[in-house]
Amino acid sequence: MNFPSNKYIIQLLSDFVPISKDMEEIIIKHLEFKTISKQENVIREGQIAQECLFILKGCIKKYYLVDGEERITNFYTEGQVVTPNSYTNKKPSKYFLTALEETIALVGDPDTEQEALKKYPQLASVTGIITEKLMVKLSDEFDNRINHSPEERYLQLIKERPDILQRVPQYQIASYLGIKPESLSRIRKRLKS
Amino acid sequence: MNFPSNKYIIQLLSDFVPISKDMEEIIIKHLEFKTISKQENVIREGQIAQECLFILKGCIKKYYLVDGEERITNFYTEGQVVTPNSYTNKKPSKYFLTALEETIALVGDPDTEQEALKKYPQLASVTGIITEKLMVKLSDEFDNRINHSPEERYLQLIKERPDILQRVPQYQIASYLGIKPESLSRIRKRLKS
DNA sequence: GAGAATCATTGACCTGAGTTAAGAAAATAA
DNA sequence: TTATTTTCTTAACTCAGGTCAATGATTCTC
């Protein structure tokens, strides 16, 4: 896989959080990468995450196992941050994170995070913004689940993340929508007419 | 309503977050109260919350309006913290907070929060713990909705918050479970046998 | 390219929740 | 207390999603 350029990385990052010119250099100097191969687990149930990721290329799914069956709650792709709950609270993870494709990501770990904050206090605002964004996003997802039917959520997915439909098999989309593959198939049929 | 004693307040607070002896005094000195009468809105859709609450007595519901219909997502009671999303992110609230009973709460607002943090830096850890707790709780609620049927969630509610069943009318419990009152009635009938 | 495995679709049947409408029970007001 | 409003229950019917099973369609492997 061809490696993402610095320019592309800064582009993605600044879409996510405002970055000043002088911070760009600091960031580029301290970048740490990680490559995750297809099917590889970033974290397993019961583990405590030691790092968080910013995805540059690829796709990662988050899911629980219920009676051996995957319940997918999220897909993370280019430009998204994966901050495992267990990274924040240092308790065993309740879910899995698994790459659906070969994935390249920026890595953040607590030590370098602390170090960086000491060296560059102006980064504090960035981490604050990130936490807040995650909070808002989580509660938005929550609302979404509560207020919309699987069919509505499927239509929304088509509109907002059409790439996901291309790169993720349908039975996993079904899991994400909270239904069985057969039901998604029927929804698709219904929508054709 | 008889007013909660300092002892009771500290008891509730320390169940929520660890409090050292010397912090107790600081806290007691700076307490600020608010009384909310039954049916009163703490916040309406579109407003930006200027304060957060720690409930000493009473009950508050959080809900959205969808086509004029309430969708309750939470009940807050004694010992729980109400931190409106709009308090954190300074954007208009998507939901309502309304007292179901006459409610007495401790109030926190950004100014006094900042002031207190300057004066007593040891409080910083407390606010950190609170944010983290809220995050974990939110994602737990999320899992709960995803992984359990309304019937299972009703049984769970009976086990974990039996008081709610006593103080909240059934049609609001139904809303909280994500179903109609008629369905809850049928679930209850089913469970009798 | 043949065969195997995985994934997607379809049909028949079941079940739980929504809808509508009616009446019973409980809470509130007069 | 009685009257009135609110809340709860029940019944009949509809419908979306689950289950089971069979069949196509793709993809993977050799």
Side-chain angles (χ1 to χ4, degrees):
Chain A
M1 196 189 294
N2 50 342
F3 211 80
S5 68
N6 281 351
K7 198 179 163 191
Y8 173 75
I9 293 172
I10 290 295
Q11 173 65 45
L12 271 188
L13 277 172
S14 58
D15 279 352
F16 183 70
V17 75
I19 297 178
S20 63
K21 266 288 165 201
D22 55 324
M23 266 162 69
E24 276 189 25
E25 281 195 42
I26 297 173
I27 289 170
I28 289 179
K29 264 189 213 158
H30 292 78
L31 290 180
E32 210 180 304
F33 298 92
K34 183 166 195 173
T35 306
I36 304 139
S37 51
K38 196 173 171 175
Q39 305 280 20
E40 189 181 335
N41 286 314
V42 176
I43 192 162
R44 283 192 186 78
E45 191 185 8
Q47 290 182 327
I48 297 175
Q50 300 302 329
E51 52 191 38
C52 50
L53 304 173
F54 180 87
I55 300 184
L56 299 173
K57 207 140 212 262
C59 182
I60 291 176
K61 67 178 168 183
K62 172 179 170 179
Y63 62 98
Y64 304 81
L65 283 187
V66 179
D67 305 325
E69 189 203 89
E70 284 184 15
R71 299 268 175 97
I72 298 173
T73 63
N74 232 324
F75 298 108
Y76 300 96
T77 54
E78 289 80 8
Q80 294 191 306
V81 172
V82 183
T83 311
N85 229 315
S86 71
Y87 174 84
T88 316
N89 66 23
K90 306 296 174 204
K91 284 178 191 149
S93 175
K94 291 183 184 171
Y95 51 81
F96 293 78
L97 287 170
T98 306
L100 289 172
E101 310 167 359
E102 190 182 10
T103 298
I104 301 174
L106 297 180
V107 186
D109 65 272
D111 291 348
T112 51
E113 192 183 319
Q114 287 306 319
E115 227 177 278
L117 277 172
K118 246 185 224 162
K119 252 182 170 167
Y120 315 104
Q122 67 266 44
L123 282 175
S125 68
V126 172
T127 58
I129 292 174
I130 291 175
T131 310
E132 189 190 296
K133 274 201 177 192
L134 291 175
M135 199 76 177
V136 171
K137 204 183 148 215
L138 186 59
S139 79
D140 280 353
E141 277 166 27
F142 193 74
D143 301 349
N144 194 351
R145 283 254 178 185
I146 291 171
N147 294 324
H148 300 286
S149 67
E151 181 170 326
E152 288 170 324
R153 296 182 58 233
Y154 178 62
L155 289 168
Q156 209 173 319
L157 193 66
I158 292 175
K159 205 190 279 174
E160 288 170 20
R161 303 190 69 182
D163 60 307
I164 293 288
L165 302 193
Q166 299 310 315
R167 56 210 293 193
V168 177
Q170 242 169 70
Y171 73 96
Q172 303 205 31
I173 305 272
S175 171
Y176 172 73
L177 296 173
I179 56 179
K180 301 285 160 186
E182 295 93 327
S183 297
L184 178 52
S185 202
R186 277 178 299 211
I187 287 174
R188 284 159 56 81
K189 196 180 181 184
R190 230 185 283 150
L191 291 175
K192 275 179 197 158
S193 49
Chain B
M1 196 188 293
N2 50 343
F3 212 80
S5 66
N6 281 350
K7 199 180 163 191
Y8 173 74
I9 293 172
I10 291 293
Q11 172 66 45
L12 271 188
L13 277 172
S14 57
D15 279 353
F16 183 71
V17 75
I19 297 177
S20 62
K21 267 286 166 202
D22 56 323
M23 266 162 69
E24 275 189 24
E25 282 195 42
I26 298 174
I27 290 171
I28 289 179
K29 265 188 212 158
H30 293 78
L31 291 180
E32 210 180 304
F33 298 93
K34 183 167 194 173
T35 306
I36 305 138
S37 52
K38 196 173 171 175
Q39 304 279 21
E40 189 182 336
N41 286 314
V42 176
I43 192 161
R44 282 192 187 75
E45 190 184 11
Q47 290 182 326
I48 297 176
Q50 301 301 329
E51 52 191 36
C52 49
L53 304 174
F54 181 87
I55 300 183
L56 299 173
K57 206 137 212 269
C59 181
I60 291 176
K61 67 177 168 184
K62 172 178 171 180
Y63 62 99
Y64 305 82
L65 283 187
V66 179
D67 305 325
E69 187 204 271
E70 285 185 14
R71 300 266 175 100
I72 298 173
T73 63
N74 231 324
F75 298 108
Y76 300 95
T77 53
E78 289 81 5
Q80 295 191 306
V81 172
V82 183
T83 310
N85 229 317
S86 73
Y87 174 85
T88 316
N89 65 24
K90 305 295 173 207
K91 284 177 191 149
S93 176
K94 292 183 184 169
Y95 51 82
F96 293 79
L97 287 170
T98 306
L100 289 172
E101 309 167 0
E102 190 181 10
T103 298
I104 301 175
L106 297 180
V107 185
D109 65 273
D111 290 348
T112 50
E113 193 182 305
Q114 287 306 319
E115 225 176 277
L117 276 173
K118 247 185 222 163
K119 252 185 171 166
Y120 315 103
Q122 67 266 45
L123 282 176
S125 66
V126 172
T127 59
I129 292 173
I130 291 176
T131 311
E132 188 191 297
K133 274 202 177 191
L134 291 175
M135 200 78 175
V136 172
K137 203 182 149 217
L138 186 58
S139 76
D140 279 354
E141 277 167 28
F142 193 75
D143 303 349
N144 195 351
R145 283 254 179 187
I146 291 171
N147 293 324
H148 301 284
S149 67
E151 181 170 327
E152 288 170 323
R153 295 181 59 234
Y154 178 62
L155 288 169
Q156 210 172 319
L157 193 66
I158 291 175
K159 206 189 281 175
E160 288 170 19
R161 303 190 69 182
D163 60 307
I164 294 288
L165 301 192
Q166 300 309 316
R167 59 212 290 194
V168 177
Q170 243 171 68
Y171 71 96
Q172 302 205 34
I173 306 272
S175 171
Y176 172 74
L177 295 173
I179 56 179
K180 300 286 160 186
E182 295 90 330
S183 296
L184 178 52
S185 203
R186 276 180 299 210
I187 287 174
R188 286 160 54 82
K189 196 180 183 185
R190 229 185 283 150
L191 291 176
K192 274 179 198 158
S193 50

